[in-house]
Amino acid sequence: MSSPPDNRRLTGRILAYEFIDLLSEMARLHGGDVVALLIFTGVWTANTRHLRSTTDRYAALHDIPPDSQRRPISEEDLSVHLCMPRQIQDPYVEGLLASGLLERRPGGLVVPSAIFTRPEMLSGANETYGRLISMLARLRQAGVSLGEADDQVKGDASVTLARSSGTWLGAGSTKGEDVMSADGNWKITINTPMGAQTVDAVITTNGDTFTGTTSGQMGTQSVEGKVNGDTLTWSTQITSPMPMTLEFEAKVAGDTMSGNVKLGAFGSAPMNGVRA
């Protein structure tokens, strides 16, 4: 049996690109300042590090660990953890404290749980998840195995990313089956009789249902719908150019989706989408 191809350098390029792209996107939440993002992220990850192995709590998007579960990190430990000199770190910490993104408590710094309920933070969590799903899809295409935890490693050139039993990162995959998740950010185009309409959507699946938001010329709306294998169905109400219920059905295949939208009494229109 031949050995798997050595794809370590290609894998490194994919990981590095996705990391930098995500870092730049998330930095926009902090005025485009990557250092502020790094310190903010260093604090909240330290606050919740002990929860990483928790599988039955604080997993869903809106299931945010409360302040009582957050463990402070001292400013000295943060400096060591980030490999950042205090003379660089301290002014940023003071700025984050002044903006309310950090709090000093007995034992050190904490990012309050209320911060994570902000729309931009929820959007950022969706962005992170969507980009991770996209990255994993690219790794699959590069030949990286994303198999079961007990898969055998065949030679030092192969790479296997283990997953837990059941579904993996909400992707709906089972052994011998590879169903791509719909989670993440999408740019959807609907070819209506009045011309093409573009909608930006954020989707988070949970078993056989999903929630999310859509935004476009008609404004921003919360949506919820059903998941059946690789097919999503949902409906939304619009008031312009006239009151109407739009009924969507879309099939997801990797980084694309396609389907139809029922336009009330005006028939249906084709739609397609790509990961944003």
Side-chain angles (χ1 to χ4, degrees):
M1 181 178 296
S2 61
S3 299
D6 185 348
N7 49 33
R8 286 173 287 187
R9 194 167 294 282
L10 174 58
T11 300
R13 289 199 297 271
I14 293 171
L15 289 172
Y17 170 81
E18 293 293 339
F19 171 74
I20 293 299
D21 208 34
L22 178 60
L23 188 66
S24 298
E25 185 67 28
M26 293 299 100
R28 294 189 178 94
L29 294 175
H30 296 276
D33 196 320
V34 173
V35 178
L37 170 67
L38 182 61
I39 292 173
F40 174 80
T41 304
V43 173
W44 76 254
T45 54
N47 295 160
T48 57
R49 185 174 182 178
H50 59 291
L51 300 175
R52 286 182 302 174
S53 62
T54 300
T55 57
D56 59 342
R57 294 184 305 164
Y58 315 128
L61 179 64
H62 295 281
D63 191 13
I64 299 168
D67 286 349
S68 62
Q69 291 291 317
R70 296 178 184 273
R71 298 178 179 176
I73 180 173
S74 73
E75 292 171 57
E76 186 59 39
D77 286 344
L78 180 65
S79 174
V80 172
H81 179 55
L82 297 179
C83 298
M84 184 178 295
R86 291 291 300 270
Q87 61 265 35
I88 296 175
Q89 174 183 290
D90 289 355
Y92 278 95
V93 167
E94 294 303 322
L96 291 167
L97 287 166
S99 69
L101 292 173
L102 295 184
E103 290 183 1
R104 276 198 182 100
R105 297 182 182 173
L109 300 170
V110 169
V111 177
S113 60
I115 297 298
F116 297 95
T117 65
R118 296 180 178 181
E120 66 270 21
M121 296 301 296
L122 293 171
S123 177
N126 266 329
E127 174 78 13
T128 301
Y129 189 83
R131 286 181 180 271
L132 177 60
I133 295 297
S134 177
M135 179 189 71
L136 293 170
R138 289 187 176 92
L139 288 172
R140 278 196 182 96
Q141 294 167 0
V144 179
S145 172
L146 303 173
E148 302 289 343
D150 57 356
D151 282 350
Q152 296 297 314
V153 177
K154 300 173 183 178
D156 68 350
S158 67
V159 182
T160 298
L161 301 184
R163 64 174 182 176
S164 59
S165 61
T167 59
W168 172 70
L169 287 180
S173 299
T174 56
K175 192 169 184 177
E177 185 179 13
D178 185 17
V179 180
M180 178 54 59
S181 171
D183 292 75
N185 297 331
W186 293 86
K187 186 171 290 293
I188 298 172
T189 301
I190 307 167
N191 294 304
T192 75
M194 295 177 290
Q197 303 289 325
T198 301
V199 176
D200 293 318
V202 178
I203 294 173
T204 302
T205 59
N206 182 16
D208 60 358
T209 63
F210 76 88
T211 57
T213 59
T214 60
S215 58
Q217 293 178 337
M218 306 303 175
T220 300
Q221 296 185 6
S222 297
V223 297
E224 56 184 39
K226 296 187 178 298
V227 180
N228 183 8
D230 59 358
T231 301
L232 306 179
T233 55
W234 75 96
S235 63
T236 186
Q237 305 284 334
I238 64 171
T239 58
S240 177
M242 63 188 66
M244 187 185 307
T245 299
L246 305 183
E247 299 179 48
F248 293 77
E249 181 173 320
K251 180 171 290 189
V252 177
D255 290 336
T256 65
M257 68 167 64
S258 59
N260 290 280
V261 185
K262 292 183 180 179
L263 306 173
F266 297 91
S268 62
M271 62 159 285
N272 58 76
V274 295
R275 291 191 189 272

